Structures are given as structure tokens and as C-alpha cells.
Amino acid sequence: MDALTLSRIQFAFTIGFHILWPAFTIGVASFVAFLSFRWWRTDNPVYGALMRFWIRIFALGFGMGVVTGLVLSYQIGTNWSGFSRAVSNVLGPFFLYEVMTAFFLEAGFIGIVIFGENRVGRGAHFFACLMVATGTLFSASWILASNSWMQTPAGYTLDADGLFHVADWWAAFFNPSFPYRFLHMVCASYITGSFVVAGVSAYHLWRRQHVEVARKGFSLAMGAALVLVPLQLVIGDAHGRNTMRHQPTKLAAMEGLWDSGSGVAATLIAWPDMAAERNRFEIAIPHAASLYLTHSWNGYVQGLKAVPAAERPYVPLVFFAFRIMVGIGIVLLILAIIGGVLRWRGRLFTTRWFQLAAMAATPLGFIAVIAGWTVTETGRQPYVVYGHLRTADAVAPLAPGAVLTSLLMFALVYNLLLLAFFWYGARVVIRGPAAIADVHPNAVRPGLEQAGTAVPSRARPYTTPIAAGE
């Protein structure tokens, strides 16, 4: 393989690995902030135990996100020097602002979130949690604005040397696809976090351990899923319609649609044959694609044949990745609805098969995120800046052997990091949250129960647990 193909594989691997961690931390950071607020305002020890437990897991994911994110900035310069040269005037400031407004915000307060609960008041700890959660959203906004600008560039001028310059910062940031992509990604992150919390809580319920804390976590997670998954369907529909307006070729690849026309069918499953320019083994629903894409029974949709073959992405990859994402969304919607029905019947915490289903669904949000990013990134090919800068012109003039060597090293190191995360994360999950008495300021100190001596209500509200017999 040539340097272009290897560089694309390498960047796909590193950014695909990295995106797992923001998808996890964005949702869990907001969950931790909510728990911290409830612990502060209600004095309910269940919230305190749940907050401390998820802070430990969040910290592991946050560390993984920082390590894998730093690699990407260097890789853009080493493997994609043509891209860096062309777009640095636009995206360079975006990346700088992401560091200044997001990373500094997260880094400035993450220490208080992890280590500072016993050193500051609960209100200050909630503020730190809120700042970290806000930082994750700021980070997502700058990164997604950058990516969206590459998908739907706006507010720029292009000089004779092929360099992009910003003519309107507002238009560049709020480019046509940014609002939809931002909402879609953030909602996906919240859904991913919800099902991780649900899966871990279901594991504790299934083992009948830490039941009170697990019930609260499971209830909150499934309640959030019941709101977020249907909301994601609405956002996804709006995002798809925006893609149809600004990137019709990508949308045609998603749908496996070769011929433009009105009243087009929705292809459920097929094998897109790029050489023959048709679908094999197709199962389709007449008029359905026009209906959900244009909201009209006979709406017009552009097909792949409207552009030359050289302007099309690799259709099978886009086509199947899109179906994986949508299929997982349907599964998660079904689980969220079943959870709502079980809650209504008073069986949410006692239905064993549903606990197993929730555990099995834990990784589905991550798979859907990877599938969605595959659609986004491969669907704009052969361009890295849609309609202007081709991917072949963006790659650095590197020797294929050098790219292959670094790709193998990344694969080795990243898999070792992933094994380490699973090792330490599994230990935290199996150990579970702290006992309720260990986080409640009014708890009776072990060893003093029989004497009737209790910790005064607010005497030492932020002390660490006292071991039995101490």
C-alpha cells in the first residue's frame, strides 16, 4: 500500500480509538456533576456513594482521552502536511481556542473533582464538577466546529496558492452542518454514558451487591435513555436532511442510492456494487427514502450517478456503517422503552433478564459512535475539505515503510493502554461503590455503635471513612 492509504488507515485508527474516550467522558462528566449537585443539596448518601464511584471511572477515561488526543495534533503535522499547510489559518486558531477554553478548564478543576472533596465544601466540589463537564462540551464544540468546517466549509477565502483564509469567523464556526453535528455527537455521548452507567448498575443488581446505590444509578440511567434516544432520532433526522442539502453524494452513499429521482425507495439491506453502479441482493421499501429524507411521498433525492465515479466515496463502507449506527439506535430505543414499561410496572430493579440485556448493551453506544464517525469521515471522500482539497493532495510525502512502522507501533501501544484501562476499570467496577455509611456525614462510626456515639451532624462532614475498631 502507498503512503496515502497507510496514512488514512493510521489516522482512522488513532482518531477512532480517541473518539471512544470523549464519547464516554462527555456523558459521565455531566452525570458526575448532577450527582455532586444532588449530594450537596439533598444530603442523600446514595448520591455521595454513586458520585465517588463514577469519579474514579471517569478519571480513567479522562486520562485515556488526554493521552490519545495529544497524538492527533502531532500526526496532523507529520502525516498530513498538505492539509496543515492549506487549512492552518482556519483550523489552527480553532485548535488553540479548544486548548485555552476547554482543556485548561478541565485540567484546572479535574484535581478538585478527583482529590478535593475532603478539602473543599460540597458546593465548591459541585462547581468543580460543573466546570469539568462544561469543559468537555467546550472541547466538543471547537473540535466539531473544525470537523464540520471540513465537511461544509464557510466564511473563508481561497488564495492562488491553495491556502484558506478566514473571511468571517462567525460563519466559519457556525458553518451549515455544525449545529446538527454538535447536537448529534453530544446526544450520542450522553446516550453512551447512560448505557455504561446502566450496564454497570445492572451488574451490581444482578449480583445483588451495593443494591441501594445500584438502583439509583440504574434508575437515573434508564430514565435518561428514555429521553435521549428518541431525542437522538429527531436530531438524526434533521442532520440527515442537512447532509442531503450540503453533501448529497455522502447521503446517496448512506442510502445506497445510485439513480436520482422522486419517490425513491429506502434500501434496507444490499451489497452496493461500485463497478456495476447498482445494488445486489437489495431489499427496499418503495417511497420510504423520499418520505423520511424530504418529508414528502414523492420527494426528489440525488443519487450517486449525479457525480463522476472519481467524486464518490467507497460506497459499501459508508452504506454498512450507517446501518450499524441506525440498527444500534433501534436496539437502544427498544431497551429504553422496555425500561420505561418495567418502571411503570414496578419491576425495573427485579427483572433479571433485563439486567443481562442492559449489561450486554454497555458497549453498543461506543460501536454506534465509531460507525457514525465512519460515515462522516469516509462519506466526504475523496475530499478532506469537501469540494476543495482532495485527500491525495493533503498527505505528507512520507515513505510507506515509515508510516507502516508507526501504524504498528500505535496498534501495539494503544492496545496495551486499552488492556490497562479494562484491568483497572474492571477492578473498580467489581469492587463497587463505597458503603453508604462511609459517605454520610451523620453515619455512626463503626466501633462506636454500641456505645451510642454518632458523628455530629456537621462536625466533620468531609472526613474520610473511619475503619472499624480504629
Side-chain angles (χ1 to χ4, degrees):
M1 290 183 286
D2 58 14
L4 172 61
T5 303
L6 288 168
S7 292
R8 289 182 63 187
I9 293 173
Q10 184 184 92
F11 197 75
F13 174 75
T14 52
I15 199 170
F17 190 91
H18 170 72
I19 199 63
L20 297 172
W21 311 109
F24 173 71
T25 55
I26 288 172
V28 174
S30 295
F31 183 59
V32 167
F34 171 79
L35 294 173
S36 180
F37 176 77
R38 296 296 293 166
W39 171 225
W40 172 37
R41 302 309 300 170
T42 68
D43 201 35
N44 185 340
V46 173
Y47 288 115
L50 201 57
M51 176 194 70
R52 291 179 178 178
F53 173 70
W54 282 103
I55 282 176
R56 294 199 294 272
I57 299 178
F58 167 78
L60 291 173
F62 182 84
M64 292 287 288
V66 171
V67 171
T68 57
L70 289 174
V71 171
L72 297 176
S73 58
Y74 291 102
Q75 195 174 52
I76 289 173
T78 56
N79 290 60
W80 301 97
S81 58
F83 171 77
S84 300
R85 175 181 176 275
V87 306
S88 59
N89 295 318
V90 180
L91 300 190
F94 280 11
F95 294 156
L96 173 65
Y97 299 149
E98 190 267 340
V99 172
M100 293 179 62
T101 64
F103 186 76
F104 283 178
L105 188 63
E106 296 172 74
F109 288 95
I110 189 68
I112 300 175
V113 172
I114 300 173
F115 306 110
E117 186 194 358
N118 296 334
R119 294 172 173 81
V120 300
R122 290 188 199 170
H125 186 261
F126 161 67
F127 180 77
C129 293
L130 183 62
M131 290 300 99
V132 170
T134 303
T136 63
L137 295 176
F138 277 165
S139 180
S141 68
W142 288 111
I143 296 301
L144 290 170
S146 302
N147 183 268
S148 297
W149 185 87
M150 293 158 62
Q151 305 281 342
T152 54
Y156 68 93
T157 59
L158 190 61
D159 66 20
D161 295 323
L163 303 182
F164 292 89
H165 300 274
V166 176
D168 185 339
W169 284 105
W170 185 268
F173 184 90
F174 291 101
N175 56 80
S177 66
F178 167 71
Y180 304 94
R181 185 167 285 105
F182 176 76
L183 292 175
H184 193 58
M185 182 61 196
V186 170
C187 190
S189 300
Y190 284 150
I191 291 171
T192 300
S194 296
F195 278 94
V196 170
V197 174
V200 172
S201 301
Y203 169 76
H204 291 143
L205 288 173
W206 185 71
R207 295 187 65 188
R208 296 185 173 91
Q209 296 177 340
H210 318 289
V211 173
E212 190 174 358
V213 177
R215 285 167 63 99
K216 178 63 69 175
F218 197 54
S219 176
L220 291 172
M222 294 310 303
L226 190 58
V227 175
L228 292 170
V229 179
L231 176 63
Q232 183 71 317
L233 297 180
V234 176
I235 297 172
D237 174 70
H239 192 16
R241 288 166 58 80
N242 177 265
T243 303
M244 182 177 65
R245 288 193 298 273
H246 298 282
Q247 294 178 295
T249 304
K250 176 194 287 189
L251 182 107
M254 292 161 57
E255 296 294 331
L257 179 64
W258 294 96
D259 296 304
S260 304
S262 301
V264 297
T267 303
L268 299 181
I269 193 66
W271 180 263
D273 187 335
M274 294 186 66
E277 296 185 330
R278 68 185 183 89
N279 293 331
R280 298 184 183 274
F281 319 111
E282 182 179 86
I283 300 175
I285 302 175
H287 290 271
S290 286
L291 185 61
Y292 62 70
L293 289 172
T294 68
H295 296 182
S296 172
W297 184 253
N298 291 309
Y300 178 85
V301 183
Q302 178 178 308
L304 287 161
K305 293 181 182 179
V307 299
E311 299 293 305
R312 303 170 194 165
Y314 183 68
V315 179
L317 185 58
V318 182
F319 180 84
F320 288 111
F322 179 68
R323 273 144 189 80
I324 290 172
M325 180 186 67
V326 172
I328 289 175
I330 293 172
V331 171
L332 296 183
L333 177 63
I334 292 171
L335 287 175
I337 293 173
I338 292 174
V341 172
L342 291 175
R343 185 194 300 272
W344 177 60
R345 294 182 176 179
R347 295 168 49 196
L348 180 61
F349 308 119
T350 58
T351 305
R352 302 279 285 174
W353 68 264
F354 187 70
Q355 294 165 11
L356 292 173
M359 284 186 272
T362 302
L364 292 184
F366 296 101
I367 299 173
V369 167
I370 292 294
W373 273 93
T374 301
V375 172
T376 297
E377 298 306 295
T378 61
R380 70 163 175 228
Q381 295 300 319
Y383 293 98
V384 66
V385 177
Y386 194 71
H388 296 284
L389 179 64
R390 297 180 77 93
T391 306
D393 298 326
V395 72
L398 297 173
V403 183
L404 179 60
T405 300
S406 59
L407 172 59
L408 295 175
M409 291 178 62
F410 277 125
L412 175 63
V413 173
Y414 276 26
N415 279 287
L416 290 175
L417 285 173
L418 187 63
L419 288 174
F421 174 83
F422 283 144
W423 171 261
Y424 289 107
R427 292 180 64 183
V428 173
V429 169
I430 292 171
R431 186 164 60 244
I436 296 297
D438 290 342
V439 295
H440 199 291
N442 300 323
V444 176
R445 291 184 180 180
L448 300 178
E449 290 182 348
Q450 296 181 1
T453 306
V455 179
S457 175
R458 294 291 176 183
R460 297 180 63 193
Y462 311 114
T463 54
T464 54
I466 300 176
E470 182 175 347

